[in-house]
Amino acid sequence: MEQTLSIIKPDGVQKNIIGDIIRRFESEGLVIKALTMHQLTKGEAQGFYAVHKDRPFFESLTDFMSSGPVVIMVLQGIDAIHLNRKIMGATNFKEAEEGTIRSDHASSIEHNIVHGSDAPETAAWEIAYFFSNLDIMA
Ligand code: CMP
């Protein structure tokens, strides 16, 4: 069993497709172990995406991520990190496989509906950024 962090970004919440996204995760066998809805401050978005701080899109990305509520979840399952990324599709929606969340819903490389951890170390760090152990169901 593996855990990964998933965020439904402000564009996903704005489009009222939280249920559609969660259905896709659950129907592939991922189980929600923690869930919260929160509007990130600019500082919280900058901290979360600190790894991208020197990238040209950092300012715009952190503005976008703090522009409205997001849904933050811990997903658990076999090979959860890879499975979540498969369900999301490629970061660039133009390259995302048909039937993935980003292929169906994203409108730009930045407004790409969902975020998912990319490796076990980042998953552990990202989960701990938002949740304490007490918030995560056994
Ligand atoms: P995410 O998986 O959340 O990780 C970093 C985010 O930066 C990415 O999704 C996109 O929303 C955003 N982004 C904006 N421009 C780019 C870009 N050129 N390359 C990669 N990510 C980008």
Side-chain angles (χ1 to χ4, degrees):
M1 280 296 167
E2 192 173 60
Q3 291 185 338
T4 189
L5 187 88
S6 167
I7 302 179
I8 303 177
K9 298 185 179 188
D11 55 340
V13 174
Q14 176 67 33
K15 287 184 175 181
N16 209 24
I17 53 170
I18 294 170
D20 173 66
I21 292 168
I22 289 179
R23 181 192 56 74
R24 292 173 193 240
F25 293 148
E26 291 185 331
S27 67
E28 293 290 333
L30 291 170
V31 175
I32 298 172
K33 290 293 181 177
L35 184 152
T36 187
M37 198 170 194
H38 178 71
Q39 179 154 0
L40 299 179
T41 64
K42 174 84 172 168
E44 287 169 341
Q46 287 170 329
F48 182 74
Y49 280 116
V51 66
H52 295 305
K53 69 178 179 346
D54 297 325
R55 306 288 288 274
F57 55 81
F58 183 67
E59 192 57 30
S60 154
L61 171 64
T62 52
D63 276 346
F64 164 58
M65 287 300 292
S66 55
S67 67
V70 296
V71 174
I72 310 167
M73 292 174 279
V74 175
L75 302 177
Q76 180 173 295
I78 294 165
D79 204 16
I81 295 170
H82 179 249
L83 178 56
N84 179 35
R85 292 177 72 78
K86 194 163 171 254
I87 298 166
M88 290 192 301
T91 304
N92 185 348
F93 75 111
K94 289 184 179 159
E95 290 161 12
E97 247 182 76
E98 221 175 286
T100 60
I101 294 169
R102 286 166 170 163
S103 162
D104 288 348
H105 295 300
S107 52
S108 73
I109 191 164
E110 181 168 279
H111 294 193
N112 63 353
I113 307 286
V114 276
H115 166 84
S117 311
D118 64 0
E121 305 72 39
T122 38
W125 185 88
E126 291 181 354
I127 289 170
Y129 191 81
F130 291 114
F131 297 103
S132 93
N133 280 342
L134 296 174
D135 299 322
I136 303 168
M137 300 304 110

